[in-house]
Amino acid sequence: MPKNPLLEAFLENELDTERNEGENPLCRPTSQEETVASKTSQSIKLIWRYGLLFATVCCIAVLCYPAARNFLTEENIGSTTSHHELKRVTHAPSATGDGIQVLPREVASYLHRTSFHFQPEKNWMNDPNGPMYYKGYYHFFYQYNPNGAVWGDIVWGHAVSTDLIHWLYLDIALVPDQWYDAYGVWSGSVTLREDGVPIIIYTGASNAGEQTQNVAYPGDPSDPLLRRWVKDQENPILRSPPGINIKDFRDPTTAWKDVDGNWLMTVGAKKQKTGLALLYKSVDLKHWELQENVLHSVESTGMWECVDFFPVAVQGHHGLETYTAAPTVKYVLKASLDDTRHDHYALGSYNVMSKTFHPDDPTRDTGIGLRYDYGKFYASKSFFDPAQQRRILWGWVNESDSEVADIAKGWSSVQAIPRTVFYDDKTKNNLIQVPVEEVKELRGARVSERDVKLVPGGLVQVKGASGGQLDIEVVFDYPNITKLSLDGGQMDDGDHFDCSQGGAAHRGVFGPFGLLVLADENFQERTAVFFYVSYSKEGKWRTRFCSDQTRSSLLPDVDTTVYGSFVEVLPSEDFLSLRVLVDRSIVESFVQGGRMVITSRVYPTMATDQAAHLYLFNNATTSINVRNIDAWQMHSVPMHAI
């Protein structure tokens, strides 16, 4: 796996600094006698330490037998045993007081912790906050509970990277230490001032339950890691306006410069059941004035959390930072709906005079139309990356297991792989989302197949593509619908089929067909991601994509929802494409070049690491042709704390 020279250089500099400062007495010069004495002392200590450890392990083994006797069976590779390549894990759940069964903590924590998705070292994480690029580093902040694996005691965690893949954990950026944020430092955004210095505007939960807006500045703007933040003495800078409940006023957006030179930003809110993007104006990013109009609102959508508003170019895939009314620009207004826990967005235009957003299609407005992701993906936040001239989207992926299980394994939630977002200039009515290009750096050995014919009911293993960490690209020929008689009986009615209607086990003329990932050799566990093509009442062929978790885990306390929706396939497209990132307990499916995305959480107990296999399947009553499939083993990413 390619190394990260900048991060390695930083770590080396940190070590050099510690040596120079004399903080580590083992680094000072010693005489030969001192060295011998030191080594002897260390040897004695190691003997006692390992002896005590051995005795402890023996005691635990006796106490836990037989539940733990088949804990892990490691795979021998050559003459060495790799703990990172588990061949088989026996399903050995332990019962809790309330009857819910979970894997022993050591097993669950290892099996289901992702290897190349961002997550803290331990405990709870939720919303992405204030991502940005500053002085050579990508900064990522996130909602974090340093005290447990459930929501509560929320602070701003902080990490940096040079490539969006390899991360360094930094000290907590913001903690709840004032009356206006005593109950939590909640979500917010980062805005770069005109002088290039970033500021944080965030929601604080006060000791009275009020949601306030507050500002913080870097303690040292010259520090590229921004390790210290200072809250403004005038906080809170905003409190809920008349007509808005004090608990329905949160998550300020990144501010943007208006044509008249003022700064604008929105804050999510609601009035009764109408979701709102309140609009504020400022000259200094600290003193804000509520505008008479709202940026946008949609009835019956409930509370709008984590609002995001940004421009996209209608030509090319480059990102935009500047807000303009030019006809070559579309605008995206996204809201995370508190009622449904889904992220909805709309494409439209921005009127710079009235300072309002107008959707291109009112039937696909924010909250009632398009979604970033039709699985688990919430509280998303985008930012403009000036280094690569692109817009990057982060999103929180929460767990599908029980809270009891999260507490047992000691952590909860991951972040989806950062996605590059741009306008779909083919359909002209949605966005394209693809994993950032840097993810490909993690690709290892590749397995490829071409022109694979899947007979009705067929199942073909992609040999050599074992493992719980894969990047898969597959292209299917679009089914030859012209050869099928439309005389009735054998046709599916697309309006009556639903992804959850039998899931991958359903049989239709043209589906389901797709992939089985994280499947063990006996198919006790498998996660199916598949297409289903059917004929609707309107006389049109429609294509669904689904992610079926019903057989993904033998554990009893997991959500097995089947996700799915329609994906638009243009008449000029005679194929169905799919890219799937598999990372132990998360499966991200990017359909038709990223026109649609579904993210799933799964918790296999048998189909783990080298016991996890990849299959092509076809449960349709007609044959399906696979043009090509490529599967790469994915390297793990070590995380470091400094």
Side-chain angles (χ1 to χ4, degrees):
M1 178 179 63
K3 296 182 179 180
N4 189 324
L6 185 53
L7 292 185
E8 289 184 344
F10 174 78
L11 289 172
E12 185 63 31
N13 289 339
E14 289 289 299
L15 290 174
D16 289 342
T17 300
E18 291 180 0
R19 296 187 187 107
N20 293 335
E21 292 176 353
E23 294 178 356
N24 187 349
L26 296 178
C27 294
R28 64 179 174 85
T30 59
S31 66
Q32 184 175 1
E33 292 78 10
E34 286 178 309
T35 301
V36 172
S38 175
K39 289 183 177 179
T40 303
S41 176
Q42 291 178 34
S43 298
I44 295 173
K45 290 179 180 179
L46 285 174
I47 292 172
W48 277 102
R49 184 179 302 168
Y50 285 117
L52 180 60
L53 178 61
F54 177 76
T56 303
V57 170
C58 290
C59 292
I60 293 174
V62 171
L63 292 173
C64 295
Y65 185 89
R69 65 187 174 89
N70 289 324
F71 225 32
L72 303 174
T73 302
E74 298 178 348
E75 179 184 20
N76 289 321
I77 303 176
S79 61
T80 61
T81 300
S82 171
H83 183 64
H84 300 287
E85 300 289 346
L86 295 183
K87 183 176 182 181
R88 176 73 60 172
V89 175
T90 300
H91 179 233
S94 58
T96 63
D98 55 8
I100 296 177
Q101 291 184 318
V102 296
L103 283 172
R105 173 174 178 156
E106 292 82 357
V107 176
S109 182
Y110 173 80
L111 289 183
H112 301 146
R113 187 171 177 85
T114 59
S115 63
F116 57 88
H117 284 72
F118 180 86
Q119 60 184 130
E121 295 173 287
K122 60 181 179 179
N123 298 328
W124 168 275
M125 173 181 64
N126 55 293
D127 305 2
N129 294 150
M132 66 170 168
Y133 184 81
Y134 185 71
K135 292 185 180 297
Y137 285 92
Y138 292 102
H139 288 255
F140 181 65
F141 303 92
Y142 51 96
Q143 297 280 277
Y144 178 58
N145 178 4
N147 301 319
V150 297
W151 186 89
D153 301 331
I154 295 298
V155 304
W156 271 40
H158 186 194
V160 294
S161 171
T162 58
D163 61 3
L164 292 168
I165 301 298
H166 301 81
W167 292 91
L168 293 173
Y169 300 116
L170 300 181
D171 290 339
I172 292 171
L174 296 173
V175 298
D177 57 3
Q178 304 295 324
W179 70 265
Y180 50 79
D181 61 13
Y183 277 30
V185 180
W186 289 1
S187 291
S189 303
V190 168
T191 297
L192 295 178
R193 296 187 321 206
E194 290 178 312
D195 59 2
V197 174
I199 68 165
I200 291 174
I201 303 180
Y202 71 94
T203 296
S206 79
N207 51 18
E210 177 186 1
Q211 293 170 10
T212 66
Q213 312 312 317
N214 310 280
V215 64
Y217 311 98
D220 179 9
S222 66
D223 175 15
L225 300 183
L226 299 172
R227 285 174 279 195
R228 187 169 65 89
W229 291 84
V230 179
K231 298 176 184 178
D232 195 284
Q233 293 183 350
E234 293 186 29
N235 284 341
I237 59 171
L238 281 177
R239 304 177 79 164
S240 58
I244 300 297
N245 189 288
I246 62 171
K247 295 184 178 181
D248 297 326
F249 178 62
R250 56 185 177 269
D251 309 335
T253 66
T254 300
W256 68 93
K257 207 63 176 293
D258 194 19
V259 291
D260 60 8
N262 292 312
W263 291 96
L264 296 174
M265 76 170 180
T266 68
V267 179
K270 73 171 181 178
K271 281 188 177 181
Q272 297 179 343
K273 291 295 291 182
T274 297
L276 306 171
L278 300 175
L279 188 64
Y280 286 87
K281 180 174 71 174
S282 173
V283 296
D284 59 3
L285 290 170
K286 185 168 81 169
H287 301 92
W288 294 90
E289 178 184 352
L290 178 66
Q291 302 302 284
E292 292 184 1
N293 63 290
V294 297
L295 178 68
H296 195 53
S297 65
V298 179
E299 295 180 356
S300 303
T301 54
M303 176 66 198
W304 281 12
E305 297 187 309
C306 303
V307 174
D308 201 9
F309 182 56
F310 59 89
V312 290
V314 298
Q315 295 180 343
H317 298 167
H318 60 283
L320 296 176
E321 182 180 29
T322 304
Y323 289 72
T324 173
T328 56
V329 174
K330 289 284 185 183
Y331 281 83
V332 178
L333 178 61
K334 187 275 307 187
S336 301
L337 303 192
D338 191 30
D339 290 352
T340 65
R341 292 290 160 149
H342 295 312
D343 277 18
H344 287 261
Y345 75 90
L347 281 166
S349 58
Y350 173 55
N351 188 317
V352 296
M353 300 304 295
S354 63
K355 296 174 180 46
T356 52
F357 170 80
H358 301 277
D360 290 342
D361 182 356
T363 66
R364 289 152 62 100
D365 205 346
T366 304
I368 59 176
L370 296 165
R371 284 169 52 180
Y372 276 151
D373 194 300
Y374 291 84
K376 280 190 170 293
F377 187 87
Y378 191 68
S380 58
K381 180 65 182 173
S382 74
F383 75 102
F384 174 70
D385 172 16
Q388 300 294 331
Q389 295 295 302
R390 58 186 172 176
R391 182 158 290 272
I392 295 174
L393 179 71
W394 283 91
W396 167 44
V397 182
N398 65 330
E399 303 293 329
S400 291
D401 61 0
S402 67
E403 186 175 281
V404 172
D406 295 341
I407 294 173
K409 67 179 184 260
W411 56 267
S412 178
S413 302
V414 303
Q415 296 292 330
I417 283 292
R419 304 171 183 177
T420 301
V421 180
F422 50 89
Y423 180 68
D424 187 346
D425 56 8
K426 294 180 179 178
T427 66
K428 302 185 186 304
N429 58 23
N430 62 275
L431 295 174
I432 295 291
Q433 303 170 69
V434 295
V436 292
E437 193 68 16
E438 290 88 337
V439 173
K440 293 180 180 179
E441 296 176 6
L442 300 178
R443 288 175 171 178
R446 182 178 73 172
V447 174
S448 299
E449 297 287 346
R450 298 291 182 269
D451 296 321
V452 180
K453 186 174 183 179
L454 296 175
V455 299
L459 186 69
V460 176
Q461 182 177 1
V462 183
K463 295 183 179 180
S466 298
Q469 301 167 205
L470 295 173
D471 187 353
I472 309 160
E473 293 183 356
V474 59
V475 178
F476 300 91
D477 282 338
Y478 198 84
N480 190 353
I481 57 179
T482 60
K483 290 186 177 181
L484 191 63
S485 171
L486 303 182
D487 58 1
Q490 60 181 324
M491 293 302 302
D492 286 334
D493 188 335
D495 293 326
H496 289 162
F497 174 76
D498 186 277
C499 286
S500 61
Q501 181 184 333
H506 183 86
R507 297 210 71 178
V509 179
F510 295 126
F513 61 89
L515 300 174
L516 297 181
V517 301
L518 295 174
D520 72 280
E521 59 186 6
N522 296 316
F523 300 102
Q524 295 182 70
E525 293 178 329
R526 74 266 189 180
T527 298
V529 290
F530 63 87
F531 292 98
Y532 191 98
V533 181
S534 56
Y535 199 68
S536 69
K537 291 179 179 179
E538 292 79 17
K540 298 179 180 180
W541 289 96
R542 308 182 73 183
T543 304
R544 285 179 174 83
F545 182 79
C546 313
S547 181
D548 182 358
Q549 286 72 242
T550 56
R551 302 294 297 274
S552 63
S553 176
L554 294 174
L555 293 173
D557 60 335
V558 297
D559 179 10
T560 57
T561 299
V562 181
Y563 304 121
S565 187
F566 292 104
V567 57
E568 186 170 359
V569 181
L570 299 177
S572 60
E573 297 173 337
D574 61 350
F575 62 88
L576 294 171
S577 70
L578 174 62
R579 182 179 179 186
V580 183
L581 294 178
V582 179
D583 191 3
R584 296 190 175 183
S585 66
I586 184 171
V587 178
E588 292 179 88
S589 302
F590 299 82
V591 188
Q592 214 63 2
R595 196 170 290 162
M596 174 196 178
V597 188
I598 295 181
T599 299
S600 306
R601 295 303 306 278
V602 296
Y603 305 91
T605 62
M606 301 293 291
T608 59
D609 290 301
Q610 297 308 304
H613 304 295
L614 172 65
Y615 296 87
L616 291 158
F617 82 94
N618 176 26
N619 211 30
T621 59
T622 56
S623 295
I624 298 295
N625 188 63
V626 182
R627 289 188 187 179
N628 56 269
I629 180 169
D630 296 278
W632 291 265
Q633 300 287 338
M634 295 293 278
H635 294 292
S636 298
V637 176
M639 301 286 185
H640 300 282
I642 58 174

